[in-house]
Amino acid sequence: MTIRLYNTMTRQKEDFVPQKPPFVSFYSCGPTVYGEFHVGNARTFVNVDVVRRWLIHRGYNVRYVQNITDIDDKIIARAHREGTTSESIAEKYTRYFLERLQILGNLPADEHPLATKHIGGMIAMIRKLEHKGNAYATPDGSVWFNVASFPEYGKLSQRPLDQMRQGERVDDELAAAKKSPLDFCLWKAAKPGEPSWTSPWGEGRPGWHIECSCMAIKTLRSDTIDIHSGGSDLIFPHHENEVAQSEAATGNPFVRFWMHFGMLDIDGEKMAKSEGNMKYLDDVLKVIDPIVLRYFFMSARYRDKLDYTDDNLHKCRSAVERMVTASRELDHFMSHETLDRRWQMDDELDELWEEFCDGMDDDFNTPRALGALAQTVTQVNSRRVAVANGERDAIDVSRAGALLSEMRGILGLGRELERADRSLSDAATSRLRAFLAEIGLPDAGSDPEAIMAALIERRATSRKSRDFATADRIRSVLVEVGIMLEDKANSTTWKKA
């Protein structure tokens, strides 16, 4: 089967054929390491990992590079606020980023190039653009890409000129000397107190866009790479500018297939600081298991919007619990058997495997693949029961289990659930916060652990003072919002019903 891949450049699905089969060069835009990242970023990082895994499964030799921007205005600003160096901030959040990728179940990249390690290459590319007439220096020591020198500018984003101008940084004090509002910065003249490097134009540092062009071409060892990916918010101006400067410098096509990942909404609304609904990964992982979050990110097509809601997360949690339980019970059931991996010889399983593969080959349709996985879970459970009743041979359930294991591995869902579901719906949180006030306890905010700790402590105190009415009332309200208490010898724990 041929993988069909939606190409942002052409706005259509195309047969994926790399330049030099079976080798695939794959570049993905990584983070600017100045702080924690949100679940929208996490969705992009997980889905690009799924794409890479399927390419590997289909027999491609993938070289996967994901850059790290370790010099940027935001990094410098945070360093100033915290009274430390930009290097210290970048190192701290680079470690944070790599650790979170591991928690989310991503395979390690073949290389994570750092922008600060490629300054020389960026200067060389800028000089080449300058010599070819695609860039010009201004008296302050900055260098700008001359958009008018690249007639195809706009071919990736396909935006009208007025929309392109909306993306310009009108507040940038360096922009006063540039020739056109569309021209973008390749080299920024140094400001007092900022990190800088020596260049032919004076002390300064590279612009954001030139970093990716240089690192992609250098680390993937080609002017043209097979796949370049990133969030859909990067199409313009970042990736549009990458196309312009790269193709102007080399004279060759920069990318053969552009992949862009959809945004994450929160309860039907765009996630944004201005909306006050930002959800950062570490906060989410306090209440949602990593494997559930990974499954949730795959529950919509990678290039479609995905809505972060309690209901959607609950559905994904239930599906993962069913999947993990089926695998665990199968392992126990077959503990004295050797798993047979000849499930392809089984007609029922052949159809499920074909459905899984067809989904993944069709522009990485993970919802379709997850549907096949869910049906495989049903096969595992029904066959295990049939074998226990003497209706089928053990090899039948073993084959189904092998297929389930294969699918889970391909999608990066091979882990166990690590924690109970500790999230609370907005309705449950509001009800419990009101109840805290009702019984004279201080507001515990929206943290489910803080809310439950306060209620469990008050219940214990009430029981000790023989105020059983309050103790029973607490349990009753918790049952009302779907929470069960479990009293043990020296403690009380809680779980969602």
Side-chain angles (χ1 to χ4, degrees):
M1 283 291 293
T2 300
I3 294 175
R4 296 278 291 169
L5 177 59
Y6 183 85
N7 189 347
T8 306
M9 181 66 78
T10 62
R11 300 298 198 272
Q12 63 184 9
K13 291 182 188 178
E14 302 174 11
D15 288 349
F16 175 68
V17 180
Q19 297 176 90
K20 300 177 180 179
F23 299 100
V24 174
S25 53
F26 193 167
Y27 185 89
S28 175
C29 279
T32 298
V33 284
Y34 69 94
E36 300 82 0
F37 59 82
H38 55 70
V39 286
N41 300 136
R43 182 199 179 194
T44 295
F45 299 145
V46 165
N47 276 313
V48 74
D49 179 68
V50 173
V51 171
R52 179 192 179 196
R53 285 171 178 268
W54 186 246
L55 291 171
I56 292 172
H57 178 80
R58 278 306 197 198
Y60 290 108
N61 185 346
V62 181
R63 176 164 172 77
Y64 175 69
V65 173
Q66 185 178 47
N67 77 293
I68 291 175
T69 298
D70 60 340
I71 183 64
D72 181 84
D73 290 341
K74 294 177 180 178
I75 297 173
I76 295 169
R78 181 148 195 168
H80 286 168
R81 288 198 306 270
E82 298 187 7
T84 185
T85 64
S86 58
E87 291 86 355
S88 176
I89 294 295
E91 289 174 5
K92 175 182 177 179
Y93 288 105
T94 296
R95 289 194 302 271
Y96 161 87
F97 169 67
L98 297 176
E99 289 168 358
R100 296 318 179 271
L101 289 190
Q102 186 175 20
I103 290 170
L104 291 168
N106 281 22
L107 298 172
D110 293 304
E111 188 171 351
H112 282 293
L114 302 177
T116 56
K117 301 299 182 183
H118 289 265
I119 301 294
M122 296 172 201
I123 291 173
M125 180 176 280
I126 295 169
R127 291 192 70 184
K128 188 173 185 179
L129 288 168
E130 190 178 28
H131 292 156
K132 295 180 72 172
N134 300 112
Y136 59 91
T138 49
D140 67 343
S142 297
V143 182
W144 299 85
F145 184 86
N146 182 4
V147 168
S149 72
F150 189 74
E152 292 184 286
Y153 190 80
K155 64 179 178 179
L156 177 64
S157 62
Q158 299 182 15
R159 286 189 172 201
L161 182 62
D162 60 337
Q163 289 187 20
M164 290 187 191
R165 285 180 172 170
Q166 290 173 13
E168 65 183 274
R169 295 181 59 187
V170 296
D171 60 335
D172 192 339
E173 63 188 62
L174 298 177
K178 65 180 181 177
K179 296 178 180 178
S180 165
L182 288 179
D183 293 351
F184 56 90
C185 194
L186 299 171
W187 185 261
K188 292 184 176 184
K191 295 180 181 179
E194 291 187 351
S196 63
W197 287 261
T198 300
S199 79
W201 315 281
E203 293 294 310
R205 55 188 171 90
W208 177 37
H209 311 299
I210 197 68
E211 295 175 359
C212 279
S213 288
C214 176
M215 289 187 284
I217 291 171
K218 176 67 175 180
T219 58
L220 293 171
R221 310 178 187 103
S222 175
D223 291 348
T224 305
I225 60 179
D226 290 314
I227 302 174
H228 192 319
S229 70
S232 59
D233 57 324
L234 298 182
I235 295 174
F236 184 85
H238 185 47
H239 289 163
E240 188 73 71
N241 292 349
E242 281 189 58
V243 171
Q245 65 200 9
S246 301
E247 296 186 0
T250 68
N252 295 312
F254 178 42
V255 173
R256 302 183 70 249
F257 292 86
W258 281 98
M259 290 188 72
H260 289 97
F261 299 91
M263 297 292 100
L264 189 72
D265 286 346
I266 306 295
D267 293 318
E269 301 292 335
K270 179 182 178 180
M271 182 171 60
K273 289 182 179 179
S274 60
E275 298 294 330
N277 64 352
M278 297 294 293
K279 287 190 179 292
Y280 290 93
L281 180 63
D282 282 11
D283 293 331
V284 169
L285 288 175
K286 292 176 183 177
V287 293
I288 300 174
D289 196 280
I291 190 175
V292 174
L293 195 59
R294 186 178 179 93
Y295 190 102
F296 167 66
F297 289 149
M298 288 185 274
S299 64
R301 278 206 184 212
Y302 74 88
R303 55 189 173 92
D304 293 338
K305 278 190 175 183
L306 176 61
D307 200 6
Y308 183 105
T309 68
D310 290 333
D311 185 55
N312 286 340
L313 288 165
H314 179 72
K315 290 176 181 177
C316 291
R317 170 87 191 183
S318 297
V320 169
E321 285 179 337
R322 192 164 176 264
M323 174 188 73
V324 170
T325 299
S327 295
R328 186 186 304 121
E329 291 182 352
L330 177 66
D331 289 343
H332 177 72
F333 185 77
M334 301 297 293
S335 58
H336 301 296
E337 300 284 344
T338 300
L339 286 179
D340 191 295
R341 300 190 67 81
R342 292 177 296 160
W343 45 262
Q344 295 95 331
M345 298 171 62
D346 186 314
D347 289 342
E348 292 173 301
L349 300 181
D350 275 352
E351 292 179 4
L352 291 176
W353 177 240
E354 183 176 352
E355 174 67 9
F356 182 92
C357 292
D358 286 350
M360 293 301 290
D361 284 337
D362 180 20
D363 194 30
F364 307 96
N365 188 337
T366 49
R368 186 175 171 185
L370 290 176
L373 184 150
Q375 292 180 62
T376 304
V377 170
T378 299
Q379 283 288 328
V380 169
N381 291 334
S382 62
R383 290 182 183 210
R384 182 172 51 80
V385 172
V387 170
N389 293 333
E391 299 169 6
R392 299 188 72 147
D393 190 271
I395 198 65
D396 292 328
V397 69
S398 178
R399 288 171 178 166
L403 176 56
L404 176 58
S405 178
E406 183 86 353
M407 290 176 173
R408 290 183 65 181
I410 288 170
L411 297 176
L413 296 171
R415 297 180 176 186
E416 286 289 309
L417 281 161
E418 297 177 5
R419 61 178 69 93
D421 184 2
R422 312 292 279 182
S423 61
L424 295 179
S425 68
D426 290 341
T429 299
S430 296
R431 175 70 181 97
L432 294 180
R433 290 178 72 178
F435 183 58
L436 288 175
E438 181 184 324
I439 60 177
L441 290 176
D443 185 17
S446 300
D447 182 357
E449 298 296 344
I451 292 172
M452 289 306 303
L455 290 173
I456 288 172
E457 182 179 0
R458 169 54 66 87
R459 179 171 174 268
T461 302
S462 298
R463 294 175 73 185
K464 188 174 181 179
S465 64
R466 305 187 67 80
D467 178 9
F468 297 115
T470 298
D472 290 344
R473 175 66 174 148
I474 291 173
R475 180 183 283 276
S476 175
V477 170
L478 290 176
V479 170
E480 175 189 322
V481 298
I483 294 173
M484 303 296 294
L485 295 180
E486 293 184 349
D487 292 317
K488 300 180 180 180
N490 299 308
S491 65
T492 297
T493 60
W494 66 279
K495 67 178 182 180
K496 295 173 74 171

